[in-house]
Amino acid sequence: MTQSSTQPGTTADVEEALPAFRYTATLAADIERRWQDRWESEGTFHAPNPVGPLAGPVDDRPRVFVMDMFPYPSGSGLHVGHPLGYIATDVFGRFSRMAGANVLHTLGYDAFGLPAEQYAVQTGQHPRVTTESNIATMRQQLRKLGLGHDPRRSISTIDPDYYRWTQWIFLQIYNAWYDEDAGKARRLSELEAEYASGQRPTPDGRAWSALSGVERAELLDAKRLAYVAEAPVNWCPGLGTVLANEEVTADGRSERGNFPVFKRNLRQWMMRITAYADRLLDDLELLDWPEPVKLMQRNWIGRSHGAHVDFAVSGVEGASVRVFTTRPDTLFGATYVVLAPEHPLVERVVAGAWPEGVDERWTGGAGTPREAVEAYRTRAARETEEERTSDTREKTGVFTGTYAVNPMNGKPLPVFIADYVLMGYGTGAIMAVPAEDTRDYDFAEKFGLPIVRTVQPPEGFEGGAYTGDGATINSEFLNGLSRVEAKERAIARLEELGSGSGTTTYKLRDWLFSRQRYWGEPFPVVYDEDGRVVPLPDSMLPVTLPEVSDYSPRTYDPDDAESMPEAPLSRAAEWLEVELDLGDGPKTYRRDTNTMPNWAGSCWYHLRYVDPVNTEQVVGPENERYWMAPRGGDDTVGGVDLYVGGVEHAVLHLLYSRFWHKVLHDLGYVSSSEPYHKLFNQGYIQAYAYTDERGVYVPAAEVEEQDGKFLYHGSVVNREYGKMGKSLKNSVTPDEMAETYGADTLRLYEMSMGPLEVSRPWETRAVVGSFRFLQRLWRNVVDEASGTTVVSEEPADEELRRLLHRVIDGVRADYAALRFNTAGAKLIELNNALTKRGGPAPRDVVEPLVLMLAPLAPHVAEELWARLGHEGTLAYEPFPEADPALLVEETVTCVVQVAGKVRDRLEVPPSITEDELRELALATEGVRRTLGERGVRTVIVRAPKLVNVVPA
RNA sequence: GCCCCCGUAGCCCAAUCGGCAGAGGCAGCGCUCUUAAAAAGCGCCGAGUGUGGGUUCGAGCCCCACCGGGGGCACCA
């Protein structure tokens, strides 16, 4: 926060006064640059593959595949929050390497994206130019952090050699279908063969040979996992593109830009992710992921088991209302039925006149049901979706004058229309069970409808809808059953009666895969003169983007719901029309003017990291097996060993990526059935920001704290807490931290701030603590004045060795469990012990200390290791191992409690028996004094560490 | 409204199985070095764990309720 001009080691004239070999920022910079150059020129972090261009000796080392979530190369530069996860994965990767593993760790760029395109729209600069320059800047910034990446594997999604395979995967998905019986995707050619042989009957029973070419194509198209459909999509005029459901917020706006989104029917590419709903849900169990992320995916997929139930409508021949319910167990509690106002059945069921004695509340004040219904429908049509789904509004609706029949008991149920039932959900009609559904309860209360409890609420239940579990009541043959049992029995009865069937529904919808954008992957298909899709052969990939003069899609007034998408590619006339010979001789085809969404490239990059320069295959099977195959035991799905990133990708990226990976698995291209085995959500580094009395942000670096107040140039400012960024004037960059202290200090500090998963505030003035530690360690090896190595060759004494081995033991466990904050603390503790001891530090302690520090602060560790007389990098030096003999204490402090309060302590051998310890404890002064005249009820002994005497 | 996560010293954070509340760092204070200041070094100071109950010989840890902070979902039938 407060930054004076006299930070350690920055000012030249200060440095003159310092010892020549003190570990200053200048010295750190020199060390860091030297080692970064050396790692690069020696290929220190190249990870060998078993086969292919990157093949090398993999020996029988265990594999560890570490990944960071794909960054978008932003032009605005990094702040200290960005590399938090990258440093963490690097520490883990470096530790794993020293622990003997072959470690695959690299970082590529998710480089298609809106910012570069928007910049192109504004300036006319090609997004590729912008993006490549941003990547170069980001690479340079990250290089200064000393990340142990394999640079040969750093790919970028805008690279034609990369998106060639994105397009190839698209075609595999296009040419696949989901075989429900096999529970997996298969090639479409197999479906065609089954139809042709008659093994699989066609939907209308005609022989395959009797179908026309177009009919056959349509049958196959209907099954494809990637398909073109006229579908209601989220059209966002303000952005000029359509959006996936996941990109639209709950209040019907674009996640990016916050523009209104409208439902439009448009022909677009869709991905049949719904075919995988069950597996995406069920396989979550097999993943080592944070529970909240699993929960979010479960909610998003939204599987619910229930039933479709048909309610016959009395007086209307052949009409029945089909509803979906998740609670068929409550059918006896249904007391009315509601149709959405737009429901097509409304016309048919509306009665000619009100029944005798109709409740006035039900009529909307109209003379006939038809008038009431028409008035209500007109009103509902005028309302926006947002208004209709607002949860605070009063329930409204009108009676249709008609009754439906409950199939369970033949009771008549009045049929209403009400806007709280939406045409877009389920069947657009519900059976209302007010006793067990809060919305239905509110409606029933207002309209004076009966409320019949069918689930026994717990004692003391206050009233209202009871949505919890309980025994079924008032339900004839279901009485006494649990919810699950009652559901099963009710469904069985419905099926017997022919009035319904058990059904599973999902909230998950198919994935809208077209975007009206320039800066994305073109679709590897063309359209013939009839507008039919023709996939391009592999030999024509990649389909590259044409040069255009205008990068913008046509955008409209954000509220112009009637506008139509117009993609930038539609203006590239020469690219659009293409003459190709696709087997029927040269013909003119038309290309697809849409591009793929940003998620496409990030759906499979883990596979390309494994085999980045394979020109023959998306990934070599042997290499994929080596790095990603299931390990056996608990691991039946395989995947990346550690995947670190923010929780914001919980649904979108992680769901799409799992889907693609499963398709590739089903089609036999990969052995793993999940992309990311272990997921870890890092916290964020946040920062304080300050506003003056006008509410304008002032530079946080110039704010000073005084007596609990925050002063900017003398005047009091208001403190806020939030994201780090330019607009809040509170950014701190890794570059400035590296300049002031060195990258090792920055790495160490970021890892020391707390557990990786926890968000924490950045505090610049605290960084110096990590710096001081490195200085003290440096001084334990190097004489500051002469630069000579000063360690002692005398073996360390027993006490120090015991401490060393305790630290080794703890640090190893900490690193393995990603507890880098406590690992760092233990290293400081050991170094402090060396310092406190005085005199030259013994080599047999210093060397393991340097090795243990290496994952956190690799440059200074390499430098010290070299000064200690070793040649070559320490990156592959075995990580120190604790000697179990030295972990056993000679004596243990035993706590002696009376009634749970500490009253005395004993020094005892760790091997002491319970009986011996009990005797010793009862004899202590503390116990005798505290106990006084009271007797002893019982004595709890936890040898050798604790005795608790319980007085009578 | 429902669901999930988190509350330990002025601040960031430790605390294996329920067993002495403190590993580490920042800040503060004192001292050493220094003409002085900074840097560096050495030392000191510090909470009874958000609140109220419960279980237990014993609770920061387990259970219940509440308060505060963060996140997700939301008329999903």
Side-chain angles (χ1 to χ4, degrees):
Chain A
M1 221 123 312
T2 310
Q3 256 179 318
S4 66
S5 56
T6 47
Q7 286 292 351
T10 43
T11 319
D13 50 302
V14 165
E15 208 144 288
E16 308 239 321
L18 292 175
F21 293 91
R22 170 161 293 182
Y23 183 77
T24 60
T26 314
L27 182 60
D30 172 58
I31 292 170
E32 286 165 11
R33 200 175 353 88
R34 277 201 341 263
W35 280 99
Q36 283 156 14
D37 291 346
R38 192 160 160 194
W39 293 330
E40 184 175 288
S41 66
E42 293 179 3
T44 303
F45 302 111
H46 290 190
N49 274 351
V51 299
L54 270 44
V58 297
D59 310 315
D60 52 358
R61 285 181 289 170
R63 68 146 206 246
V64 172
F65 187 177
V66 186
M67 253 175 76
D68 304 280
M69 281 190 191
F70 224 12
Y72 176 78
S74 150
S76 55
L78 301 180
H79 60 66
V80 289
H82 289 117
L84 180 71
Y86 307 152
I87 295 170
T89 47
D90 185 47
V91 174
F92 184 74
R94 285 175 181 271
F95 165 70
S96 303
R97 202 175 284 114
M98 294 176 80
N102 186 14
V103 175
L104 171 42
H105 191 196
T106 190
L107 190 76
Y109 295 89
D110 191 14
F112 282 120
L114 213 48
E117 182 171 312
Q118 277 168 338
Y119 188 71
V121 169
Q122 286 159 19
T123 65
Q125 170 155 282
H126 197 289
R128 175 173 294 281
V129 174
T130 314
T131 308
E132 284 176 351
S133 137
N134 288 351
I135 290 175
T137 307
M138 193 163 159
R139 281 216 164 99
Q140 210 172 6
Q141 274 192 298
L142 290 177
R143 187 186 135 98
K144 288 192 197 158
L145 296 175
L147 303 171
H149 292 164
D150 183 344
R152 304 169 306 167
R153 299 173 186 265
S154 175
I155 50 87
S156 159
T157 52
I158 60 171
D159 193 345
D161 288 340
Y162 182 86
Y163 72 72
R164 173 203 196 292
W165 293 106
T166 310
Q167 292 173 338
W168 180 87
I169 294 170
F170 175 86
L171 290 174
Q172 307 313 304
I173 299 173
Y174 175 77
N175 283 315
W177 61 295
Y178 199 81
D179 183 346
E180 295 288 346
D181 301 324
K184 56 177 258 189
R186 295 171 60 194
R187 286 182 174 71
L188 209 69
S189 55
E190 296 172 28
L191 177 65
E192 189 173 1
E194 288 188 9
Y195 277 140
S197 72
Q199 182 190 339
R200 178 178 292 264
T202 61
D204 63 3
R206 284 189 291 162
W208 185 250
S209 54
L211 302 180
S212 72
V214 172
E215 285 173 320
R216 288 182 190 178
E218 281 174 355
L219 266 189
L220 295 176
D221 285 352
K223 292 281 194 177
R224 293 180 189 275
L225 288 180
Y227 60 99
V228 176
E230 177 99 10
V233 299
N234 306 298
W235 163 236
C236 179
L239 288 173
T241 186
V242 300
L243 299 170
N245 290 334
E246 291 84 342
E247 294 170 310
V248 180
T249 61
D251 51 350
R253 295 186 150 251
S254 61
E255 197 161 65
R256 220 184 32 234
N258 198 33
F259 293 114
V261 171
F262 302 93
K263 285 281 179 200
R264 294 293 304 277
N265 276 323
L266 292 171
R267 279 178 69 76
Q268 301 282 321
W269 281 104
M270 305 288 289
M271 289 263 167
R272 206 180 300 280
I273 191 172
T274 50
Y276 280 83
D278 279 320
R279 279 168 62 191
L280 289 170
L281 194 65
D282 295 340
D283 288 0
L284 286 172
E285 307 288 332
L286 308 172
L287 295 173
D288 184 0
W289 281 21
E291 272 312 312
V293 175
K294 290 187 181 183
L295 193 66
M296 279 188 255
Q297 293 217 346
R298 283 191 197 107
N299 288 342
W300 190 263
I301 295 167
R303 178 164 68 191
S304 52
H305 298 288
H308 279 119
V309 186
D310 296 315
F311 290 79
V313 181
S314 21
V316 184
E317 196 57 34
S320 70
V321 177
R322 164 158 286 211
V323 307
F324 174 75
T325 175
T326 54
R327 299 293 305 272
D329 57 307
T330 64
L331 254 164
F332 286 95
T335 56
Y336 60 100
V337 165
V338 187
L339 301 178
E342 308 86 345
H343 198 289
L345 217 54
V346 174
E347 284 298 319
R348 288 184 61 200
V349 302
V350 169
W354 296 120
E356 201 63 28
V358 67
D359 191 317
E360 271 183 26
R361 287 171 288 184
W362 297 11
T363 64
T368 65
R370 183 157 298 279
E371 284 169 35
V373 164
E374 269 168 19
Y376 190 81
R377 290 179 97 176
T378 309
R379 205 181 99 191
R382 267 204 307 269
E383 290 170 335
T384 64
E385 180 130 348
E386 201 174 329
E387 284 166 351
R388 283 182 61 171
T389 55
S390 149
D391 57 354
T392 48
R393 63 185 274 130
E394 279 270 301
K395 292 282 181 288
T396 60
V398 292
F399 181 39
T400 61
T402 305
Y403 290 82
V405 181
N406 189 336
M408 282 298 186
N409 54 13
K411 285 197 178 153
L413 307 173
V415 178
F416 282 78
I417 63 172
D419 65 3
Y420 82 94
V421 174
L422 302 174
M423 201 54 224
Y425 290 128
T427 61
I430 61 158
M431 64 174 213
V433 186
E436 278 93 33
D437 182 289
T438 47
R439 294 154 299 168
D440 297 345
Y441 188 92
D442 295 344
F443 191 87
E445 284 256 281
K446 189 166 171 208
F447 288 84
L449 289 154
I451 295 165
V452 178
R453 295 228 175 262
T454 57
V455 178
Q456 181 65 57
E459 210 153 311
F461 183 69
E462 298 279 327
Y466 175 65
T467 54
D469 279 328
T472 307
I473 54 171
N474 298 326
S475 297
E476 299 181 9
F477 64 97
L478 301 177
N479 284 341
L481 298 178
S482 71
R483 178 194 291 217
V484 175
E485 292 164 335
K487 257 168 120 164
E488 274 174 34
R489 294 277 287 277
I491 290 169
R493 173 63 63 91
L494 284 170
E495 287 174 351
E496 267 168 50
L497 294 168
S499 298
S501 56
T503 320
T504 302
T505 60
Y506 303 88
K507 209 168 91 181
L508 183 69
R509 293 284 169 262
D510 275 345
W511 175 18
L512 176 75
F513 200 70
S514 299
R515 295 294 182 280
Q516 289 71 49
R517 287 279 158 202
Y518 173 79
W519 193 225
E521 299 89 346
F523 283 90
V525 300
V526 290
Y527 299 86
D528 66 15
E529 66 274 15
D530 299 321
R532 297 201 53 80
V533 176
V534 184
L536 293 172
D538 286 0
S539 60
M540 291 187 187
L541 303 186
V543 178
T544 54
L545 286 166
E547 299 299 318
V548 295
S549 53
D550 180 5
Y551 298 100
S552 44
R554 190 154 160 219
T555 57
Y556 300 84
D557 183 287
D559 295 309
D560 184 0
E562 300 310 310
S563 50
M564 283 289 283
E566 190 183 300
L569 289 179
S570 63
R571 282 178 243 123
E574 286 176 23
W575 178 83
L576 203 55
E577 301 272 325
V578 60
E579 187 161 297
L580 298 171
D581 185 347
L582 296 174
D584 306 331
K587 282 175 30 179
T588 302
Y589 296 93
R590 209 180 142 77
R591 295 190 190 273
D592 197 316
T593 60
N594 296 304
T595 52
M596 298 188 197
N598 209 199
W599 313 108
S602 58
C603 265
W604 70 282
Y605 69 120
H606 47 282
L607 295 175
R608 206 58 184 168
Y609 280 172
V610 165
D611 212 355
V613 288
N614 192 329
T615 53
E616 305 299 315
Q617 290 163 303
V618 62
V619 57
E622 203 171 323
N623 290 329
E624 188 275 335
R625 263 200 309 279
Y626 175 74
W627 290 108
M628 298 189 71
R631 290 169 182 275
D634 281 349
D635 175 11
T636 55
V637 294
V640 173
D641 296 295
L642 177 66
Y643 192 32
V644 174
V647 72
E648 69 271 17
H649 291 113
V651 174
L652 295 155
H653 159 61
L654 288 170
L655 198 63
Y656 296 152
S657 193
R658 293 180 63 214
F659 164 49
W660 276 34
H661 199 91
K662 284 184 182 305
V663 176
L664 292 173
H665 173 76
D666 287 355
L667 297 178
Y669 294 114
V670 296
S671 66
S672 42
S673 58
E674 284 283 344
Y676 315 118
H677 192 84
K678 176 174 177 145
L679 176 70
F680 191 96
N681 292 127
Q682 94 227 9
Y684 301 102
I685 292 183
Q686 297 182 295
Y688 293 108
Y690 302 86
T691 50
D692 62 18
E693 70 282 358
R694 298 166 301 167
V696 176
Y697 287 99
V698 302
E702 294 165 37
V703 172
E704 297 185 331
E705 184 177 354
Q706 248 176 45
D707 309 323
K709 291 198 169 145
F710 301 98
L711 300 178
Y712 172 66
H713 294 188
S715 39
V716 176
V717 288
N718 179 42
R719 187 166 85 162
E720 297 174 9
Y721 183 54
K723 291 203 304 206
M724 198 175 264
K726 281 201 174 132
S727 55
L728 302 191
K729 294 193 181 165
N730 60 355
S731 267
V732 180
T733 67
D735 292 344
E736 58 188 296
M737 285 301 102
E739 203 178 303
T740 317
Y741 298 105
D744 280 329
T745 296
L746 174 66
R747 291 172 58 111
L748 192 61
Y749 175 66
E750 292 214 1
M751 294 299 100
S752 308
M753 290 170 76
L756 192 54
E757 66 272 23
V758 171
S759 292
R760 57 315 269 287
W762 178 262
E763 193 179 6
T764 294
R765 67 177 181 181
V767 181
V768 71
S770 299
F771 186 59
R772 287 179 190 148
F773 161 54
L774 294 182
Q775 283 188 327
R776 286 199 298 272
L777 174 60
W778 176 267
R779 249 194 310 271
N780 278 330
V781 183
V782 180
D783 181 273
E784 286 190 335
S786 65
T788 54
T789 306
V790 292
V791 294
S792 143
E793 303 300 330
E794 289 292 310
D797 62 63
E798 168 133 356
E799 196 190 333
L800 188 56
R801 277 170 57 232
R802 283 186 182 278
L803 174 64
L804 170 67
H805 284 264
R806 273 205 312 277
V807 168
I808 291 173
D809 191 50
V811 167
R812 234 179 202 281
D814 285 345
Y815 276 145
L818 311 177
R819 292 189 302 253
F820 306 132
N821 53 330
T822 50
K826 289 180 175 81
L827 297 177
I828 293 172
E829 197 183 349
L830 178 58
N831 190 58
N832 286 352
L834 286 177
T835 307
K836 193 169 275 186
R837 200 157 283 255
R843 176 183 288 275
D844 59 2
V845 174
V846 168
E847 290 201 340
L849 174 56
V850 166
L851 290 175
M852 287 191 287
L853 176 71
L856 285 164
H859 313 87
V860 67
E862 290 270 25
E863 182 70 15
L864 292 173
W865 188 247
R867 283 171 181 269
L868 286 163
H870 301 278
E871 277 179 38
T873 176
L874 52 58
Y876 293 87
E877 286 298 320
F879 200 85
E881 296 206 45
D883 178 352
L886 289 170
L887 295 177
V888 182
E889 297 291 336
E890 280 181 319
T891 65
V892 184
T893 306
C894 174
V895 178
V896 183
Q897 301 177 335
V898 178
K901 298 265 186 297
V902 181
R903 298 301 181 186
D904 218 321
R905 289 183 173 79
L906 289 166
E907 287 297 314
V908 296
S911 57
I912 193 165
T913 66
E914 287 198 5
D915 290 340
E916 286 171 322
L917 195 57
R918 180 182 294 110
E919 290 310 310
L920 282 174
L922 286 171
T924 56
E925 174 58 29
V927 169
R928 300 208 337 244
R929 191 183 58 240
T930 317
L931 222 44
E933 296 301 306
R934 288 181 295 177
V936 173
R937 173 141 60 109
T938 177
V939 181
I940 289 139
V941 184
R942 294 280 178 274
K945 296 190 75 172
L946 179 129
V947 177
N948 186 13
V949 181
V950 185

